[in-house]
Amino acid sequence: MNSTISQRLADLRDVMRREHLAAFIFPSTDPHQGEYVPDHWKGREFISGFNGSAGTAVVTLNAAALWTDSRYFIAAEEQLRGTEFQLMKLKIEGTPTIAEWIGAQLSTLNPQPSTEVGVDGMCCSANYVKELTTELRKAGGLTLRTNLDPLAQTWYGRPPIPTNPVEIYPMEYAGESARDKISRLRQALHREHADGMLMASLDDIAWTLNLRGTDVHCTPLFVSYLLISSTDTTLYIYKEKLTPEVAAYLQQEGVKIDDYANVGKGLDAYFEYSILLDPDEVNHTLFNRVKRGGSSTRSAVEIVEAESPVKRMKTVKNTTEIAGFRRAMLKDGIAMVRFLKWLDEADVSRESELSIDRKLTSLRAEQPLFRDISFDTIAAYGEHGAIVHYEPTPATDIPLRPEGLLLLDSGAQFLDGTTDITRTIALGPLTDEMRHVYTLVLKGHIQIELCKFPSGSSGTQIDILARQYMWREGLSYLHGTGHGVGTYLSVHEGPHQFRLEWKPAPLVAGMTITDEPGIYLPGRFGARIENTLLITPYMETEFGQFLQFEPLTLCPIDKRPIDAAMLLPEERQWLDDYHQTVYDRLSPHLDDDEKAWLKKACAPL
């Protein structure tokens, strides 16, 4: 039994008994509903030991469980081993919901200790709390309490909320001033019949204000809130994060400054008739503060519940941002080619998953404007390739061998753009099964890139193109096929995406989106191929505007695992054309040896 997790659970249960709670829920989120959160809010990881980016831990007085999705099934099993936590596999038949599981656990106790379940309302969205409240009521008349953070009493040495300095994101990369973005935002709010809004998403705030930070791992964000009315804009942030230059810049852009802890008071003092609150973005505690009128005596503010307009504003890149993406992808392609050539010529038996990660990162770091990686590299050899979001650690790191497949999913944060690329690489002899699976993945990847579609289509309508040939053989994958990518922001940007589940977010010209189908065979291997794409105009007819995908990623796709007989003529042609583009764009920036290697890697199939 993991003694550290056992002690943490014991301390938590002491608090639960004092507070008369039957269960406590720990989501993966923070007060800003981010995918990647500062260490201060990693409560789910602290209590369970599971460090994946998605999951929910639940603790009762005599049991514990953790829910996560297919990306983390294998990793979660490893990390939860030796603890009380039972793994609950999301979207797998027979897996109970959180509310059902809590209800079942409490039904075995006689007498029941309580019917109250706790969650920190600051770390849950308004919609999450609303839905959870309904589910708990149905699961046995359970009620939800949202005003307690037990970790404040039990997490000794808890990391503080970060106070790292903020920096200005230059206009030469942003392409639009903060003042102009706020003006556009007010117009969007007017169309929603809202006088203002509370912006809680750190991505949205950084994009709107043309500021970046270092508060979040691999993602240049900073902890803050932004409150906008018809006349004022106020940034709630720890003032020690602001240099004199940044403070002067904000004043110049018409942005006032107040302390991060004062956002609630700012909502109390909000004087307009209506305010837009995105219930998936604003946490329950602040949402409820507006709903109840806070501590003020003013008349109630009308809440407009709607998606933050910033989400769709920032996903459509302007010409400056698109030019930055092209430069970033060029630099990333140079680094990738140098890495792949090095790997091709290396004695791979002297390398491991972690050593190749370090090598690739060092080559990216040589490129101009490199700031960081955009997520922890997935360097997965052999059977580790079947773990969708495997990240090697000193405990799991394995040596490579001159055989089989290496799945390498990685990316960089350049000041002019964010990159995300996956290549599956043959390290030596392959089985027929490996070639077959790899080629199915490649076919799916190419079919997405060949797609032409009406502007405004949803990614859900296109997703099937990546899966159609797999499905004919009873194969599939449980993750999405693609996600948006930010402009020196989060590597995962929405709301648009390719996904099986219905996502109505329209695809329009100027968006970036990844194309990354895969197949994973547990205990054997995995294959995934990913490019980042730009949505561009295709043609206009009497049926409207049609769009297409342009690959921004510049890196050869390994031809060695391809079963060429499985490819359609149009798929072979796409691959040859793509490789010609890769060679034409990258070769002027390479030395003669690198150019010769690339010419062979990009030769027609």
Side-chain angles (χ1 to χ4, degrees), residues 35 414 452 487 598:
E35 179 181 10
F414 296 103
K452 315 296 188 226
T487 304
L598 182 61

Side-chain angles (χ1 to χ4, degrees), residues 379-409:
Y381 174 62
E383 65 182 40
H384 283 171
I387 306 173
V388 179
H389 266 214
Y390 169 79
E391 295 162 9
T393 67
T396 65
D397 185 31
I398 57 173
L400 308 184
R401 298 191 302 272
E403 62 185 33
L405 295 172
L406 169 70
L407 192 158
L408 188 63
D409 188 349

